[in-house]
Amino acid sequence: DQQVKQNSPSLSVQEGRISILNCDYTNSMFDYFLWYKKYPAEGPTFLISISSIKDKNEDGRFTVFLNKSAKHLSLHIVPSQPGDSAVYFCAASEDNNDMRFGAGTRLTVKP
Amino acid sequence: DVKVTQSSRYLVKRTGEKVFLECVQDMDHENMFWYRQDPGLGLRLIYFSYDVKMKEKGDIPEGYSVSREKKERFSLILESASTNQTSMYLCASREGTGPIGNTIYFGEGSWLTVV
């Protein structure tokens, strides 16, 4: 039973354009959401997070949006760069308990 | 910076062997986790630990056990390795308190091949 779902296994965008990665969750008790970025043969690295009391968090080119009523969050990357090409994982946590991850979306940014 | 170190990057083991994957973190974090990553399945939680000698099953604990005798060290044990346990294994740690403490930090991963 996957509580965190990333329904798009891959996404390809042109350099300079916006990348939008989506994530849905089923557990309404989740109160903290994170995005991780992973390069091949490396561990995931933390990118950006958002608490359930907010609907938007921005950090440079990265913005995460949270829609609690739809149980949906998204990561926007503007402008996209070739170095952003990686697998992006969405994660959710309830009250500092164990963290659940989605299956990941492979982003390819073409020069 | 948080440092999570996994002792072995690449291992090849035979079916039936006992396998130990070791993980050490240097930030005095309360929580530690073991995940495995498989194509199309993402990161799946095997076991996690809130404190020394404490352990909780994750989504796929079958065929695995863990040990946390010291706060900084969390070991994953495959009692009798099987080919379906060929995967990338990721250890992680988290402070466990407050919004900032909710971020988990991963090691570089251990690639295990069971032949």
Side-chain angles (χ1 to χ4, degrees):
Chain A
D1 177 28
Q2 271 209 306
Q3 298 184 52
V4 179
K5 299 178 183 178
Q6 293 175 257
N7 293 319
S8 298
S10 63
L11 174 69
S12 180
V13 300
Q14 207 67 36
E15 180 179 6
R17 306 294 288 267
I18 184 171
S19 295
I20 300 176
L21 296 98
N22 294 303
C23 178
D24 298 293
Y25 60 95
T26 58
N27 185 349
S28 58
M29 299 302 291
F30 285 144
D31 58 4
Y32 201 70
F33 304 88
L34 307 92
W35 284 94
Y36 283 80
K37 177 180 179 180
K38 186 180 183 301
Y39 294 115
E42 294 182 10
T45 54
F46 170 71
L47 193 57
I48 193 169
S49 63
I50 188 167
S51 164
S52 61
I53 62 173
K54 294 186 175 182
D55 54 19
K56 176 182 175 181
N57 188 27
E58 189 173 353
D59 183 3
R61 296 185 298 113
F62 303 91
T63 303
V64 56
F65 295 92
L66 175 63
N67 182 334
K68 288 187 289 295
S69 60
K71 296 193 183 68
H72 178 84
L73 65 155
S74 60
L75 174 68
H76 292 209
I77 307 174
V78 182
S80 301
Q81 299 173 354
D84 295 330
S85 297
V87 177
Y88 289 79
F89 290 100
C90 168
S93 175
E94 174 192 347
D95 196 27
N96 275 358
N97 286 326
D98 56 295
M99 193 163 291
R100 305 290 170 162
F101 285 80
T105 297
R106 181 177 301 278
L107 173 66
T108 304
V109 180
K110 297 180 180 179
Chain B
D1 280 353
V2 176
K3 184 77 171 173
V4 180
T5 304
Q6 295 182 231
S7 56
S8 303
R9 289 301 310 275
Y10 302 96
L11 305 93
V12 180
K13 298 292 182 181
R14 293 193 180 279
T15 300
E17 274 194 79
K18 191 168 186 176
V19 182
F20 291 88
L21 298 179
E22 306 285 348
C23 176
V24 176
Q25 50 95 3
D26 65 357
M27 285 301 292
D28 201 35
H29 282 175
E30 300 286 336
N31 303 168
M32 295 188 76
F33 305 81
W34 275 105
Y35 292 87
R36 62 179 280 179
Q37 184 197 359
D38 300 287
L41 297 175
L43 302 175
R44 292 182 294 167
L45 182 63
I46 305 171
Y47 267 98
F48 59 102
S49 170
Y50 291 132
D51 202 348
V52 176
K53 297 191 187 295
M54 303 280 290
K55 60 183 179 183
E56 295 285 341
K57 292 180 180 179
D59 294 326
I60 50 165
E62 296 78 20
Y64 303 94
S65 63
V66 290
S67 172
R68 192 153 180 216
E69 296 297 318
K70 294 184 179 181
K71 192 174 186 180
E72 67 271 18
R73 187 179 296 271
F74 192 35
S75 303
L76 180 69
I77 304 155
L78 288 68
E79 294 291 340
S80 177
S82 62
T83 54
N84 63 12
Q85 292 178 310
T86 292
S87 186
M88 182 181 193
Y89 290 87
L90 289 158
C91 175
S93 75
R94 179 179 71 184
E95 183 178 347
T97 56
I100 295 177
N102 215 339
T103 302
I104 70 172
Y105 298 90
F106 285 90
E108 291 192 331
S110 298
W111 286 97
L112 172 65
T113 301
V114 183
V115 296

